Amino acid sequence: MSYIDQINKEKIPAHVAIIMDGNGRWAKSHAKMRLSGHQEGAKSVKRAIEVCGELGIKYLTVYAFSTENWNRPHTEVNGLMNLLANSIDKEFDEIHRNKIRIRIIGQIDKLPPNLQKKLKVVIDKTKDNDALNFIIALSYSGRWDIINAVKNIATDCSDNRISPDMIDDSLFEKYLSTNEIPDPELLIRTSGEERISNFLLYQLAYSELYFTDTLWPDFSKEDFYKAIINYQHRERRFGQTSEQLT
Ligand code: IPE
Ligand code: IPE
Ligand code: MG
């Protein structure tokens, strides 16, 4: 039986988040420049979006660039920014035709102005699309997200828009960059690293974590199906006992 036939259509996660890692090692193993690895990785993003369409996954968040990634060599950072801009130009028509809504989370104001402009246009043009929510974490850091929320809550408290006793989970979540996006049920990280690397620290509280040695540019549709099947065999207890769930 092929992998796709083993997927339970009744238990599809609403939100899958991916730490797309291993582009550099992929390039090295093919005796290519790191940027070729990122270019090859862009093809995997396209495949992942297709899988979400096939399976009816409503939210896909990809970690494309972390706050810490600004510390990489300038040539790599510039290459990544250009790749992003070019990928948007190349893929936008198809994305829009497929009713995909693009969202960005992260410190957008740190990005090169031309990329910021491009992103604002695609966010606005796709805002009424209702098939897949494709969320790109760009210049993102989980700690930034939380601290930014705290700052805005503090401002709203001192301006008397809210009072401290109103602060609970549901209010706090409204101040995060992922406002109105459900928490990911599944987090996938490729390339064998088993860490969160400052991704969605608050939102991953109860996500199922799936690690694979496959490098991101090699991550195929079959690999994605395998991760979903693995997720579907987990028992999500949320602190309760197994018996309570049945
Ligand atoms: C992930 O691949 C892409 C980004 C972080 C932008 P890497 O570039 O981290 O690849 P490795 O970890 O060096 O193999
Ligand atoms: C995490 O990968 C960030 C992205 C995938 C965009 P890194 O390769 O930057 O993470 P570390 O340095 O191995 O933790
Ligand atoms: Mg890496």
Side-chain angles (χ1 to χ4, degrees):
M1 195 156 70
S2 65
Y3 286 121
I4 195 161
D5 296 326
Q6 294 172 46
I7 293 175
N8 178 351
K9 298 282 181 317
E10 309 297 312
K11 264 177 86 172
I12 300 293
H15 185 177
V16 176
I18 307 182
I19 300 177
M20 314 183 287
D21 199 11
N23 296 352
R25 277 161 284 169
W26 183 92
K28 197 168 187 183
S29 74
H30 290 75
K32 291 183 170 164
M33 307 281 284
R34 289 183 62 87
L35 195 60
S36 310
H38 298 312
Q39 282 163 345
E40 203 59 29
K43 297 182 191 164
S44 297
V45 176
K46 223 182 145 174
R47 286 195 293 269
I49 290 176
E50 283 168 18
V51 169
C52 291
E54 289 168 15
L55 300 182
I57 294 166
K58 294 297 285 180
Y59 298 85
L60 173 69
T61 302
V62 296
Y63 203 6
F65 195 86
S66 72
T67 303
E68 290 74 21
N69 289 148
W70 288 115
N71 298 321
R72 292 192 178 191
H74 288 300
T75 47
E76 180 166 353
V77 170
N78 290 342
L80 276 164
M81 295 300 144
N82 289 334
L83 175 63
L84 261 154
N86 293 339
S87 302
I88 288 169
D89 288 342
K90 197 165 139 232
E91 305 298 338
F92 180 75
D93 287 344
E94 194 177 331
I95 284 177
H96 200 26
R97 207 172 37 246
N98 288 322
K99 297 264 171 292
I100 296 168
R101 177 175 176 184
I102 295 182
R103 302 190 188 190
I104 308 293
I105 55 172
Q107 294 167 288
I108 301 180
D109 56 343
K110 291 239 183 333
L111 300 170
N114 67 319
L115 182 59
Q116 285 188 43
K117 240 167 93 187
K118 231 182 247 299
L119 292 171
K120 285 198 183 109
V121 172
V122 297
I123 291 166
D124 188 59
K125 278 193 179 161
T126 62
K127 69 177 189 305
D128 295 322
N129 289 349
D130 58 4
L132 168 70
N133 287 274
F134 177 50
I135 303 142
I136 312 171
L138 257 184
S139 191
Y140 182 86
S141 134
R143 288 183 177 173
W144 161 81
D145 204 354
I146 292 167
I147 291 165
N148 189 52
V150 170
K151 268 191 198 159
N152 288 325
I153 288 172
T155 306
D156 282 354
C157 280
S158 68
D159 293 349
N160 289 316
R161 276 190 289 272
I162 56 170
S163 62
D165 56 286
M166 287 165 70
I167 303 170
D168 60 9
D169 293 24
S170 88
L171 181 126
F172 192 82
E173 285 158 19
K174 288 192 177 65
Y175 284 82
L176 291 168
S177 64
T178 45
N179 177 28
E180 293 185 338
I181 298 169
D183 290 340
E185 291 96 329
L186 172 63
L187 170 78
I188 298 171
R189 183 168 187 154
T190 57
S191 88
E193 309 299 349
E194 300 186 354
R195 54 176 170 261
I196 301 296
S197 298
N198 212 352
F199 197 25
L200 303 160
L201 298 180
Y202 182 96
Q203 298 86 339
L204 292 173
Y206 257 109
S207 307
E208 296 299 326
L209 309 182
Y210 177 86
F211 301 105
T212 169
D213 286 339
T214 304
L215 303 174
W216 178 247
D218 289 328
F219 193 77
S220 64
K221 285 188 166 191
E222 300 295 310
D223 291 317
F224 201 162
Y225 302 149
K226 260 198 268 183
I228 300 290
I229 294 162
N230 183 291
Y231 159 82
Q232 292 185 331
H233 287 93
R234 310 250 183 124
E235 182 178 65
R236 307 190 73 206
R237 288 192 287 278
F238 300 100
Q240 291 188 293
T241 66
S242 215
E243 290 69 30
Q244 281 177 294
L245 299 172
T246 47

